[in-house]
Amino acid sequence: MSGEMNNNFSAEYPLYKKPTPTPDTYDGILRMTASHTEFKESVKMAGTVGAGGAGFPSYAKIADGVDTIVINGAECESLLYTDYYLMRRELRKVVEGIDYVVENTTAVRGLLCVKEHAGIKLGFFDGQKLSEHTSVKFLPNVYPMGDEVNLIFEATGRSINPGALPISVGVIVYNVETIYNIRQAIRHRIAVTHKWITVGGNIPESFVLRVPVGIYVKELLDILGVSVPHGNVVLDGGPAMGKIIDVERAAVTKTTKSLLILPENLPIIMSKQTSMETQIKRGTSACCQCTRCTDLCPRNQLGYPLEPHKLVRAAQGAGMVDAKIFASATLCCGCGVCEHAACGQGLSPRAIILKLKGELSKTKTRYISDEDIAPRDTRGYRLISSERWKELTGISGYDKEARFVDKDITPSAVEIAMNSHIGAPSVPCVKVGQTVSAGERIADAADGLSLPQYASVEGVCKYVDGKKIVIEKI
């Protein structure tokens, strides 16, 4: 990529200077120092967010007690090559980002985690030292290895208790692109204004490129010369967990990892187009309680008390149900194994679980347990290989290694979402008609968990409200 953008987000935050590690301890728990707190604030001010799709503000993960930084380069979903190319082209910056986090927290090591097949293509070997703090960790080629709980277990051997956060086992997890953005923020004061994405699927050639946040999907596809074939849809995200978007109106956000074009007659797409109500009716009327969905559930195999077949039965209203069974729905990662690999009747336990999760979130109900868990003896035999997963979901024929597009993408306009992160939406600080520069702050962080937003192009603010800011390029 040609050069660094000159979009320093704030002169108030000085360029990075390696601190002398001086972590304090209290009752055996590592504590952050004042320099660590300043680092955390810089990560926040850059608008850094989980780039893997979840959208959790990166600064909020930095806490006392961490000893290991796990970098998720698993590229969990099929057809994606975003993180692969980021590591292939910008490995030095990725490793520097890991080192910065290690040096500015209480962590003592960083693990760059990649699936074995990708690691070999990148020229890595398991355990390879990339820097004083960072080494490579190979992961098995299985789905869904990008799931945080599975990832941490494979990388560190540590099991997170149900409902607990990674910090409870001394771990912070960041996506490869997130750690790259942290490096840009700390070393160059560059805010998050661009996104690395894969454009692929049912098209002659797949691409990986870096685009301004907020570029309209339709304009991006036109720039690439990509047309959506009749009878196909476009997903923001992977085949299993991505969402169907309106190509004419959708824009790339900070959490967009890929734009995939796939036929709507694929079972994995047909499921997305079936209403939640229909999915639930099918599941609660036709489920035979074979338990196969539970047997193959990746989190159940790690020892979690998540049993999809019981949640389907509970939704049927069959007898008295322990409240804990309902609460266990909050432990689901939404990978879709129960739906696309397990159920022989084409039902969707996931749809029922997601419905329950939505209802439980209204009352802030979570399943929390302090009982230690351990993987089941059957786990090793029930992991689903990445290749098998592609076959089961019908997308094998659309997997082609992407080509990196090394050019600046200049859109005519961008739409910056104020809610592209978990937490309170950003608060606009610009007005309609105001001219802004690329990298200029256009929205402040709200109170509580929130992030600021920055212009990804130079232009004029044509629309501003609490949901979005539209900037037309000059």
Side-chain angles (χ1 to χ4, degrees), residues 5-7 193 434-442 454-459 471 474:
M5 283 187 62
N6 183 23
N7 62 340
T193 59
Q434 182 175 334
T435 300
V436 295
S437 302
E440 182 177 338
R441 193 189 313 177
I442 57 174
Y454 296 84
S456 57
V457 297
E458 179 184 13
I471 305 170
I474 295 177

Side-chain angles (χ1 to χ4, degrees), residues 329-400:
T330 62
L331 302 176
C332 174
C333 69
C335 67
V337 166
C338 60
E339 177 179 358
H340 301 296
C343 186
Q345 300 188 73
L347 306 179
S348 178
R350 178 172 64 164
I352 293 172
I353 294 172
L354 290 177
K355 176 67 173 178
L356 290 172
K357 285 182 71 173
E359 295 300 319
L360 292 169
S361 67
K362 296 177 183 178
T363 58
K364 297 182 178 181
T365 300
R366 293 172 55 203
Y367 189 107
I368 300 177
S369 173
D370 57 3
E371 295 182 6
D372 293 336
I373 62 169
R376 303 185 192 281
D377 295 339
T378 54
R379 180 174 184 266
Y381 306 101
R382 292 179 178 173
L383 297 175
I384 300 173
S385 74
S386 300
E387 291 302 314
R388 178 59 177 156
W389 175 250
K390 285 187 288 187
E391 293 172 0
L392 289 168
T393 53
I395 58 174
S396 295
Y398 306 105
D399 188 13
K400 52 185 77 74

